[in-house]
Amino acid sequence: MLTLLYTRITELAASPRAVWWLIVVAVAESSVFPLPVDLMLVPMLLANRERAWFLAFVCTTASVVGGLIGWVLGAFLMKHIGMPIAHFYHADQRILNLEALFRRYGVWIILAKGLTPLPYKFVTLAAGAAHFPLLPFIAASVVTRGARFFLEAALLRAFGEPIRDFIEKRLALVLFGALILIAGGIALIEFL
């Protein structure tokens, strides 16, 4: 079943509409949706390594746009939309903790959290709720999200085929590793 799912995602990542799906997932992941954008980006990078920089740019731009949507939801609609999103993910207290951290540490929160597999939507909602200044928010989001996606692009562009072979032979191990990273990232939010 995992092999079939991986094959389907790889086919979608190689399709002519894949860039549009990448944009949709990146915007949604930064504002409201739990699906990590890496699930689209990595297969797309593996399917077309020559477009690695373009795909990283598109993913970064779409992620920052999604972050702006999350910031607006947090700043102006936190009670009606932001907190229900947080509640849906059982993250009410996490949002409140992040909001307090923004007031205390500012841009460092974005820089630290944007590189991790933590759900970026929590960062964007909390930044808006804390009324963190928009220009530093955008700049930090570009830096941190860009660093993450361009690093992935560089690694997959340079070592694509060996990584593809590893993923295809050890898919369950890779998915388990990704799950551990996501769970570890969420645990970090709990302790901050």
Side-chain angles (χ1 to χ4, degrees):
M1 183 173 158
L2 290 175
T3 304
L4 180 64
L5 178 61
Y6 174 74
T7 302
R8 181 64 187 125
I9 289 172
T10 303
E11 288 170 0
L12 180 61
S15 76
R17 288 184 231 116
V19 172
W20 294 109
W21 282 110
L22 178 64
I23 292 168
V24 167
V25 171
V27 167
E29 184 265 341
S30 294
S31 54
V32 295
F33 196 58
L35 186 66
V37 70
D38 307 279
L39 292 178
M40 274 300 292
L41 180 61
V42 169
M44 289 177 71
L45 290 167
L46 288 172
N48 196 346
R49 289 169 40 199
E50 299 79 33
R51 296 183 68 194
W53 307 128
F54 169 74
L55 294 172
F57 173 77
V58 167
C59 195
T60 299
T61 304
S63 183
V64 172
V65 168
L68 287 171
I69 293 168
W71 188 94
V72 168
L73 291 175
F76 303 110
L77 300 168
M78 191 62 176
K79 181 179 177 183
H80 302 292
I81 296 176
M83 284 312 283
I85 290 170
H87 185 72
F88 179 79
Y89 296 115
H90 306 287
D92 307 60
Q93 191 58 47
R94 281 184 230 154
I95 294 290
L96 296 173
N97 292 346
L98 276 170
E99 186 179 341
L101 287 171
F102 267 107
R103 290 194 170 98
R104 192 167 176 195
Y105 298 109
V107 75
W108 294 108
I109 298 300
I110 300 167
L111 293 174
K113 305 271 187 215
L115 291 172
T116 67
L118 297 171
Y120 196 58
K121 78 189 96 335
F122 299 148
V123 174
T124 66
L125 288 169
H131 294 280
F132 186 77
L134 195 53
L135 289 179
F137 172 79
I138 293 169
S141 293
V142 168
V143 168
T144 193
R145 301 306 272 178
R148 177 178 167 187
F149 300 135
F150 276 92
L151 177 61
E152 284 181 20
L155 290 172
L156 290 169
R157 187 169 198 260
F159 306 108
E161 289 308 316
I163 289 176
R164 179 193 302 260
D165 292 341
F166 177 82
I167 289 172
E168 288 174 354
K169 291 177 183 172
R170 295 171 185 89
L171 181 60
L173 179 63
V174 169
L175 292 176
F176 182 69
L179 179 64
I180 288 173
L181 283 174
I182 291 169
I186 291 170
L188 281 175
I189 285 180
E190 290 291 329
F191 294 111
L192 291 177

